[in-house]
């Protein structure tokens, strides 16, 4: 009986997240959100997993477009590691509870598994836009039992709205702001018959650069231009059988990232808080052309059992050419480009059995992926001469350029590393939820996973005279076509005790394990014979969640202790034969303990306060490696405490006679601990904004007309005009002094319009 009550005990708490906005904007009650975190539909407050959700209303309140826009509202979640790489599309990465993933190699995998409409997404496809999205679920801790592949640190689950047979509905909306922001979206849900429904949604987003580019290169850094469309057709063939076919298309054609050079010698604008740069990157930009097709089938065998099938195919091409010197000076010109052409087929079959005393989920999945990656480095001949000093017996390179620089002007050399990969993944899982008493449930699950990988490297010798003379390139080298293959397998599982504290709250204790396959470093041919070790995670967790104080407070509190063996960590490393630091993947052992809190307080019906907080301590034990300065570091231990960070929210919706109004305000604070980072250099303190804490204030005020037909809103982001910069970095920063940084977006503002029909 308790199991059924768990599903319904929060239904009376409010419906803001699941009702249309036009009907519920002034209802600030603590809403129920139905999730599928355990491959079953359940209230988020009854799932014995630390799970945070971001709903349709949250997307409206924050103006979020991608995961980078919501990281401050999910404790323990980061997108990228700083303000510079958080906004990327093709090389983005999700960080959960401090576990970062390498985002540079197709031969490796992320530590956070990402799913869209129930289907696994490869690394370069994870930044799907929030178009007609029902919710985004973020599951913390290893989720290897039910989600399998690469769920070692957690899962991000995108759940788009499904077609509905109930009624025809739709909307059109527009967001207009400074920097020529224009975001237009439309959705239509059309019941074609009593058993057939079609749902269509489209989105167009464009914005000029928020960084002023004084250089000759186009498009401007941080310029946005992307489109997304999805169509889903649902057929209820009978009372027992449902089928859905969906197709989506995503096109991104953004400007490159803003690499703001801070060199006093080479940069025209060494103060990044001026938000100006001078870039000369050739054919720069970041693009992705992607489409996917997904078919689903659900069949109810009887009142207590059902099966479901998913089959999907996704393909994409990416291009990501970025300035690496952050200046407009040819003498130090360096750029990087990452191009990928990949496709993946994914299949999953699942069987559910719900009895009075046990709820069982079992199934299997299979995926097959083919990848192509070409990583390129382009240098001016003058920059090559600057880099070549160590290879020429320590000759003064500046003197060489003074003599021959004029002859080298306008000439460039490009080195490439090309990789092809073929990957297969198999998984079989079973998970059972046992009702022991009216208050106590025990959950147990197990999964077997196997990964097979084939990978190759090819870095041809360039025709640059010095490379020909030395018989090697400056960065990328291989002995012709080199090939490697390996396989890994692992059994993971979980054991959870879930206890009801009353009608509206619960506590749980869990032990879970996760696994990420070993792999290959696309820039390190040595991993052909010594592949990266698989990543194995063990997590102990205690949690409390529910409604308290007569359902005026909703809270989720989790304490966790996590151990990671052989985490695949990306660092900047400069070996003894390297001319500059290059991205390299090494194995690291981690121990992480922390606390996460999400809480909302409803003192009166029209006012709600929220707080999001996380604290974490982390100890790392790394294998021996060369750091970015070329210094050999023996196996070492590094201790770190997560920066203090919290988000405060306020929602106020007073009762008025002429419609519905809603004010949303949030304040985001993050302590800057960059000076404690191992890559910190004291000279970085000369950079304005370096080491400063982040303080962001955002607000939105909306009005919905009587009857709920139209919505109007005004909004502003970063109202305090915070200008925090990232830690200086760059491939040639240590050699040429061409460090660069990123800076948060400036103060922006705009208006929204939405019409419902």
């Amino acid at each position: 009986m308790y199991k059924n009550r768990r599903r319904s005990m929060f239904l009376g708490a409010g419906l803001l997240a699941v009702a249309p906005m036009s009907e519920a904007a002034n209802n600030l009650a603590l809403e129920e959100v139905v999730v599928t975190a355990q491959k079953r539909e359940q209230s988020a407050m009854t799932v014995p997993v630390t799970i945070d959700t971001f709903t349709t209303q949250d997307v409206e309140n924050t103006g979020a477009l991608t995961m980078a826009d919501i990281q401050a509202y999910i404790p323990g979640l980061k997108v990228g590691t700083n303000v510079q790489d958080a906004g990327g599309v093709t090389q983005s990465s999700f960080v959960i509870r401090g576990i970062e993933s390498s985002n540079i190699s197709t031969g490796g995998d992320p530590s956070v598994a990402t799913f869209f409409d129930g289907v696994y997404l490869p690394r370069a496809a994870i930044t799907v836009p929030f178009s007609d999205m029902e919710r985004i679920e973020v599951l913390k801790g290893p989720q290897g039992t039910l989600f399998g592949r690469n769920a070692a640190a957690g899962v991000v689950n995108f759940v788009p709205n499904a077609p509905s047979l109930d009624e025809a509905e739709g909307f059109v909306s527009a967001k207009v702001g400074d920097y020529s922001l224009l975001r237009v979206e439309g959705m239509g849900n059309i019941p074609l018959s009593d058993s057939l429904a079609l749902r269509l949604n489209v989105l167009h987003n464009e914005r000029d650069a928020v960084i002023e580019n004084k250089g000759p290169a186009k498009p401007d850094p941080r310029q946005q231009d992307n489109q997304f469309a999805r169509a889903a057709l649902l057929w209820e063939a009978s009372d027992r059988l449902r089928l859905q076919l969906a197709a989506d298309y995503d096109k991104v054609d953004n400007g490159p990232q803003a690499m703001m050079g801070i060199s006093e010698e080479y940069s025209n604008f060494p103060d990044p808080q001026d938000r100006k740069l001078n870039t000369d990157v050739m054919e720069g930009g970041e693009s992705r052309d992607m489409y996917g097709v997904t078919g689903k089938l659900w069949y109810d065998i009887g009142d207590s059992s059902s099966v479901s099938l998913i089959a999907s195919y996704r393909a994409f091409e990416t291009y990501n050419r970025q300035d690496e010197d952050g200046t407009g000076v040819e003498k130090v010109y360096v750029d990087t480009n990452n191009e990928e052409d990949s496709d993946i087929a994914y299949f999953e079959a699942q069987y559910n059995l719900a009895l009075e005393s046990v709820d069982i989920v079992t199934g299997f999945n299979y995926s097959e992926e083919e990848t192509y990656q070409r990583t390129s480095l382009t240098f001016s001949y003058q920059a090559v001469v600057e880099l070549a000093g160590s290879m020429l017996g320590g000759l003064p390179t500046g003197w060489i350029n003074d003599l021959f620089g004029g002859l080298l002007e306008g000439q460039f050399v490009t080195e490439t590393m090309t990789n092809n990969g073929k990957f297969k993944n198999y998984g079989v899982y079973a998970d059972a939820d046992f009702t022991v008493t009216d208050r106590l449930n025990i959950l147990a699950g197990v999964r077997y996973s196997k990964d097979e990988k084939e990978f190759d490297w090819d870095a041809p010798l360039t025709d640059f005279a010095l490379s020909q003379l030395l018989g090697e390139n400056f960065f990328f080298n291989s002995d012709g076509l080199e090939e490697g293959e390996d396989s890994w397998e692992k059994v993971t599982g979980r054991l959870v005790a879930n206890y009801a504290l009353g009608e509206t709250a619960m506590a749980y204790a869990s032990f879970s394990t996760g696994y990420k396959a070993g792999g290959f470093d696309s820039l390190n041919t040595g991993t052909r014979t010594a592949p990266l070790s698989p990543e194995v995670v063990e997590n102990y967790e205690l949690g409390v969640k529910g409604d308290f104080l007569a359902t005026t407070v909703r809270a989720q509190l989790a304490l966790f202790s996590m151990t990671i063996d052989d985490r695949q960590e990306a660092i900047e490393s400069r070996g003894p034969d390297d001319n500059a630091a290059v991205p390299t993947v090494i194995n690291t052992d981690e121990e992480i303990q922390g606390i996460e809190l999400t809480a909302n307080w409803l003192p009166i019906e029209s006012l709600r306060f929220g707080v999001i907080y996380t604290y974490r301590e982390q100890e790392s034990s790394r294998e021996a490696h060369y750091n970015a300065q070329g210094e050999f570091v023996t196996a070492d231990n590094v201790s770190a405490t997560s920066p203090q960070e919290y988000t405060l929210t306020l929602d106020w919706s007073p009762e008025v006679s002429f419609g519905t109004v809603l004010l949303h305000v949030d304040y985001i604070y993050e302590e800057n601990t960059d000076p404690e980072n191992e890559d910190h250099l004291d000279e970085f303190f000369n950079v304005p904004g370096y080491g400063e804490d982040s303080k962001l204030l955002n607000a939105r005020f909306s009005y919905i007309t009587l009857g709920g037909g139209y919505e109007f809103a005004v909004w502003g982001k970063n109202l305090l005009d915070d200008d925090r910069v990232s830690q200086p970095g760059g491939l040639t920063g240590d050699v040429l002094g061409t460090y660069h940084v990123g800076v948060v977006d400036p103060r922006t503002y705009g208006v929204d319009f939405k019409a419902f029909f």
Side-chain angles (χ1 to χ4, degrees), residues 28 61 606-609 649-653 662-665:
L28 298 182
N61 288 342
S606 61
L607 184 64
R608 183 172 63 190
F609 297 99
T649 63
L650 177 150
D651 291 277
W652 180 51
S653 185
L662 173 63
L663 172 67
H664 173 83
V665 180

Side-chain angles (χ1 to χ4, degrees), residues 633-653:
V633 180
T634 58
D636 61 345
N637 293 318
V638 178
S639 296
T641 299
S642 64
Q644 292 294 314
E645 54 186 65
Y646 57 83
T647 299
L648 305 176
T649 63
L650 177 150
D651 291 277
W652 180 51
S653 185

Side-chain angles (χ1 to χ4, degrees), residues 187-199:
M187 183 279 292
N189 183 86
I190 309 165
L192 302 175
S193 70
D194 291 341
S195 61
L196 198 64
L198 175 67
R199 193 177 188 100

Side-chain angles (χ1 to χ4, degrees), residues 54-77:
F54 207 75
T55 66
T56 302
Q57 183 66 62
D58 296 324
V59 172
E60 294 275 1
N61 288 342
T62 60
L65 179 64
T66 65
M67 288 294 292
D69 300 319
I70 74 171
Q71 56 186 321
Y73 310 99
I74 307 291
L77 171 72

